[in-house]
Amino acid sequence: MSIVKAAAVQISPVLYSRAGTVEKVVNKIRELGRLGVQFATFPETIIPYYPYFSFVQSPFQMGKEHQRLLEQSVTVPSADTDAIAAAAREAKMVVSIGVNERDGHTIYNTQLLFDADGTIVQRRRKMTPTYHERMVWGQGDASELRAVDTAVGRIGQLACWEHYLPLARYALIADGEQIHSAMYPGSFAGPLFAEQTEINIRQHALESAAFVVNATAWLDPEQQAQIVRDTGAPIGPISGGSFTAIVDPEGRLMGEPLTSGEGHVIADLDFSLISARKRLMDARGHYSRPELLSLMIDRTPASHVHDRSVRTDNGNEGRTIELL
């Protein structure tokens, strides 16, 4: 596919409601489908909502909000992911979206990638939650740190400050991503955060020679007021910080970025621009020196139990279970 119509979506959650936010996402996919969009990125953990409370409450205070987030988080697969899959299939759209994923009693910051037939082709958990987020989310492994082939091309995904991990970014560059799906929380940490996000995604577009489709969320004034009432925190830390945009392989913004309100940025991604950029600078090819500098990745899925066979004194095979 040489030209792909892509959308970066800036959207508010239905605060504290998994079902409400899923329904809102499904309706947005259908709306974009009617506009001919073939690929869309939604914000970081938009379902059910980013854990804003963890940025403004101490660990001692956040128990109630943490429990509420756990109860509203998404099991994969489930009726919630089935609903998104059905919408993607109906719209014939590849969808990248961030969710709070519940696995037992642990929450992960997870990126889901739905192909145009509704199949989940990637479930990737954020490897290093940032600062306050470590009180909320478990850590992912590198088993899905790779680009994935889809109906619209080869797609890589990273969440928020994973873009400050140059080795993680290089893993996707080396995998030949053509579209990079980036997602950040939005309505978070003020205008400096938005400025830093712009630098992050434009630099990655230049280094990867890929298109970057970046989505941030948005809290409306009533949602901000609700969080202020529920946490006792000031409004400043949950304001600003939104920067929804699409960047071409030359690092140029395609269209006007969204920094407030709900909406979307749509652009036609002409894949010939990838070749034009890589002719001059291909970080996985002629502009690399693998005999001098290379990357090692352990993509072994992390397991909490390692089952090993051992030989006992009487010659029989026994078994030990090593708990880590």
Side-chain angles (χ1 to χ4, degrees):
M1 189 168 290
S2 58
I3 296 180
V4 173
K5 186 178 286 293
V9 178
Q10 188 156 293
I11 193 171
S12 303
V14 176
L15 200 57
Y16 305 149
S17 172
R18 177 183 65 242
T21 305
V22 168
E23 181 180 6
K24 190 169 182 177
V25 166
V26 165
N27 289 336
K28 188 67 181 180
I29 292 171
R30 289 172 175 158
E31 175 194 339
L32 294 174
R34 291 191 290 272
L35 298 175
V37 169
Q38 299 161 288
F39 171 75
T41 293
F42 285 79
E44 180 182 17
T45 60
I46 187 63
I47 303 174
Y49 48 91
Y50 179 80
Y52 296 98
F53 62 86
S54 65
F55 194 51
V56 296
Q57 287 187 304
S58 70
F60 176 74
Q61 295 172 308
M62 71 166 63
K64 177 182 176 184
E65 293 299 327
H66 194 185
Q67 183 67 29
R68 172 153 58 182
L69 181 63
L70 175 68
E71 292 169 357
Q72 291 296 317
S73 292
V74 178
T75 299
V76 181
S78 64
D80 299 309
T81 58
D82 288 348
I84 298 169
R89 185 165 52 249
E90 176 186 327
K92 298 181 175 58
M93 187 188 306
V94 178
V95 175
S96 170
I97 187 167
V99 304
N100 287 275
E101 179 195 359
R102 177 172 183 165
D103 186 351
H105 287 78
T106 297
I107 312 173
Y108 294 94
N109 177 333
T110 297
Q111 294 177 300
L112 298 177
L113 183 62
F114 295 85
D115 210 343
D117 65 358
T119 304
I120 297 177
V121 291
Q122 187 170 66
R123 179 181 70 175
R124 199 191 76 80
R125 294 170 172 173
K126 189 175 185 179
M127 295 183 297
T128 306
T130 300
Y131 191 50
H132 57 286
E133 296 173 352
R134 294 175 199 171
M135 297 300 299
V136 175
W137 292 322
Q139 295 178 308
D141 58 30
S143 59
E144 290 296 327
L145 183 63
R146 64 180 80 246
V148 179
D149 287 323
T150 72
V152 296
R154 196 159 173 79
I155 297 175
Q157 307 182 104
L158 289 176
C160 199
W161 277 17
E162 285 185 317
H163 292 90
Y164 287 141
L165 301 178
L167 301 183
R169 292 195 301 105
Y170 189 73
L172 301 181
I173 292 171
D175 240 3
E177 61 177 356
Q178 295 168 302
I179 301 174
H180 179 82
S181 180
M183 47 187 76
Y184 294 72
S187 285
F188 175 82
L192 177 61
F193 195 86
E195 294 170 17
Q196 293 168 337
T197 298
E198 179 179 359
I199 294 168
N200 268 184
I201 61 176
R202 296 181 74 170
Q203 181 67 23
H204 185 70
L206 281 169
E207 291 181 354
S208 64
F211 290 91
V212 178
V213 182
N214 180 64
T216 59
W218 173 252
L219 294 176
D220 64 36
E222 174 51 34
Q223 290 175 321
Q224 288 177 305
Q226 182 66 53
I227 293 172
V228 167
R229 286 194 294 272
D230 292 340
T231 63
I235 199 170
I238 55 169
S239 302
S242 296
F243 190 84
T244 292
I246 300 178
V247 187
D248 76 10
E250 296 289 348
R252 299 172 296 202
L253 295 171
M254 303 180 74
E256 191 67 26
L258 275 176
T259 57
S260 65
E262 292 188 289
H264 51 251
V265 176
I266 293 179
D268 289 328
L269 315 185
D270 181 351
F271 280 19
S272 69
L273 295 180
I274 297 174
S275 297
R277 171 68 181 167
K278 286 192 171 182
R279 184 183 66 80
L280 293 172
M281 202 295 293
D282 183 0
R284 64 182 295 230
H286 63 81
Y287 211 72
S288 66
R289 290 292 304 275
E291 77 279 19
L292 302 178
L293 301 168
S294 61
L295 171 64
M296 182 181 73
I297 306 172
D298 183 356
R299 290 195 170 109
T300 307
S303 175
H304 293 88
V305 177
H306 295 263
D307 203 346
R308 294 178 177 169
S309 295
V310 296
R311 189 70 59 182
T312 61
D313 292 341
N314 60 11
N316 296 325
E317 188 173 84
R319 190 163 152 258
T320 61
I321 295 177
E322 180 181 345
L323 298 176
L324 300 181

